[in-house]
Amino acid sequence: MLFMKLKEILTGIIPLNGSFDTETEIKDIVYDSRNEKVGSDILFVCLSGFQSDGHSYAKSVYDKGVRVFAAQKPLELPEDATVIYVENTRKFLALASANLFGNPTREIFTIGVTGTKGKTSTCYMIKSIFEAYGKKVGIMGTIGIFYGDTYEFLGLNTPESYDIHKHTRGMVDAGCDVMIMEASSQGFLLNRTYGIIYDVGVFTNLSPDHIGASEHKDFDDYINCKKLLFRQSRIGFTNKDNEYYEHIIDDADCPVKTFSVINEADYRAVEPIFSSDESNLKTEFTCIEKTPSNDNIKTKIELNTPGYFSLYNAVAAIAVARNCGIPYIAVKDGLKKAFIKGRMEIVPIYQPFTV
């Protein structure tokens, strides 16, 4: 990685203090004190978490050779340490990381998917459709980060902001046309996606979940975090059948289109047929797409994933694809080929029944 001057790292960031040399050269950013990257050209960002506080480890990082720090709480370090004080170090990390990697989300078509259920499946259905259309796609989420020959498992639905921008840069450099990512409520709560404007945002569904001491304090907090997706997107898509539909869209800063199985919507999955054979469980349905001229487009769709829930994931993926100009021939092909590791996979057991 090339060196970047501190003033470039700080583009768009307003520090609370100005007593540091903006010509200082920075090679990389670190947010975990266990990281082996050390040296005076490393910027360490102190993050406050649910269980530990990076500010408490600043001195140990200093002892390893790091001399530049970003903090939101007072640090007691020797005089040769440079400390940049900011209001929120998580927002700082997001913006600084974007700058370090050349703001890669501005160079690639970005799709963010949130929701209580269905994020991973919807992401992989969208991926399969875009690939059927000839696009090169990178993806990051629960299963891991995949693009080109790169695979990394970080154990988070939405990676830390540094890792988002690092791998988005990797996707751009690998020639990817599209980046798809799971945007979890925790990702919004902890500002991991701060500063990113998605070209498309998808909200699959919403129900009470992820509420507790190390997650969201209550359901309102959970909802409000997820709703941030439609304040960080150019266009949104959401489930009109969900009981919280009106609440989901009430603060949206972008136009929002709808998909459904039951209620009238811009894209609707109807007439489902569930079947099976010796090697597959199948779902077939008709997608009804509303057009500006009110001439509905009806298309038969086939999936190799069973279940009523698959209708919602698939019609959400269709809505995204069609609004990106992808023809139904690629939509049909992509959905028929879509494979989501660990989601409704057939297990060969050589018995007279299917698992």
Side-chain angles (χ1 to χ4, degrees):
M1 183 178 292
L2 298 175
F3 285 88
M4 181 176 284
K5 292 187 182 298
L6 187 55
K7 64 182 179 183
E8 297 172 297
I9 297 284
L10 296 177
T11 300
I13 298 170
I14 303 175
L16 299 178
N17 62 320
S19 56
F20 48 83
D21 183 5
T22 59
E23 295 297 313
T24 301
E25 291 189 328
I26 300 297
K27 185 177 181 180
D28 206 352
I29 297 172
V30 169
Y31 61 87
D32 187 334
S33 62
R34 297 166 295 183
N35 195 302
E36 295 180 359
K37 295 176 183 177
V38 295
S40 59
D41 53 8
I42 298 296
L43 167 58
F44 180 75
V45 182
C46 303
L47 300 182
S48 297
F50 291 112
Q51 298 180 348
S52 62
D53 189 340
H55 295 79
S56 302
Y57 299 97
K59 181 58 168 62
S60 67
V61 173
Y62 173 90
D63 291 339
K64 294 178 182 178
V66 175
R67 291 295 180 269
V68 185
F69 298 80
Q72 65 187 52
K73 301 175 184 178
L75 296 182
E76 294 185 5
L77 295 172
E79 291 184 359
D80 63 336
T82 296
V83 182
I84 304 161
Y85 287 106
V86 293
E87 289 185 1
N88 187 310
T89 51
R90 288 191 173 275
K91 291 182 178 180
F92 174 92
L93 178 63
L95 297 180
S97 298
N99 290 334
L100 178 69
F101 292 104
N103 292 287
T105 60
R106 300 176 187 175
E107 300 178 42
I108 193 170
F109 192 83
T110 55
I111 301 172
V113 180
T114 198
T116 304
K117 306 294 182 184
K119 292 187 294 295
T120 301
S121 296
T122 301
C123 283
Y124 276 84
M125 287 182 176
I126 295 171
K127 176 179 182 287
S128 189
I129 293 172
F130 273 87
E131 289 175 337
Y133 190 53
K135 299 297 182 181
K136 192 171 182 180
V137 182
I139 191 165
M140 57 180 81
T142 304
I143 300 174
I145 299 171
F146 298 86
Y147 56 94
D149 296 327
T150 298
Y151 165 69
E152 185 171 356
F153 179 73
L154 296 175
L156 297 170
N157 296 43
T158 303
E160 193 54 76
S161 57
Y162 173 91
D163 299 297
I164 291 175
H165 293 287
K166 171 188 172 183
H167 285 291
T168 304
R169 170 51 59 196
M171 292 176 190
V172 172
D173 292 347
C176 291
D177 305 293
V178 182
M179 182 273 277
I180 305 171
M181 66 176 292
E182 294 183 37
S184 68
S185 59
Q186 287 281 291
F188 289 116
L189 177 66
L190 299 176
N191 293 300
R192 292 172 185 160
T193 66
Y194 184 77
I196 296 174
I197 301 298
Y198 297 100
D199 291 292
V200 175
V202 182
F203 203 132
T204 60
N205 52 60
L206 183 69
S207 58
D209 203 349
H210 301 291
I211 298 167
S214 61
E215 294 187 278
H216 298 278
K217 61 182 180 180
D218 53 35
F219 188 44
D220 282 342
D221 182 57
Y222 178 57
I223 294 175
N224 290 330
C225 284
K226 282 199 169 294
K227 286 170 61 175
L228 288 173
L229 177 66
F230 288 163
R231 305 187 76 174
Q232 292 180 219
S233 298
R234 292 187 170 88
I235 186 170
F237 298 88
T238 195
N239 181 350
K240 201 171 183 182
D241 291 345
N242 190 266
E243 64 178 302
Y244 300 103
Y245 164 71
E246 294 291 346
H247 195 7
I248 287 169
I249 66 171
D250 62 9
D251 289 327
D253 286 343
C254 65
V256 178
K257 294 190 175 184
T258 57
F259 56 86
S260 73
V261 174
I262 301 169
N263 295 303
E264 288 294 322
D266 297 305
Y267 298 85
R268 187 180 174 197
V270 300
E271 301 170 354
I273 299 173
F274 306 104
S275 60
S276 63
D277 55 33
E278 292 182 357
S279 59
N280 288 298
L281 298 172
K282 295 183 178 180
T283 300
E284 297 172 89
F285 66 92
T286 298
C287 177
I288 301 177
E289 175 186 342
K290 284 187 177 180
T291 66
S293 60
N294 291 320
D295 295 326
N296 292 341
I297 300 173
K298 295 184 178 181
T299 308
K300 293 287 187 181
I301 302 293
E302 182 179 332
L303 309 173
N304 284 319
T305 52
Y308 196 76
F309 59 88
S310 292
L311 300 174
Y312 285 101
N313 299 335
V315 76
I318 292 169
V320 172
R322 291 293 293 157
N323 273 266
C324 291
I326 298 178
Y328 270 109
I329 188 170
V331 171
K332 288 165 64 75
D333 185 39
L335 286 175
K336 190 171 183 179
K337 293 177 179 177
F339 171 75
I340 305 99
K341 185 175 176 60
R343 302 296 192 276
M344 303 305 291
E345 287 187 68
I346 299 294
V347 180
I349 59 171
Y350 309 106
Q351 296 292 328
F353 53 84
T354 302
V355 176

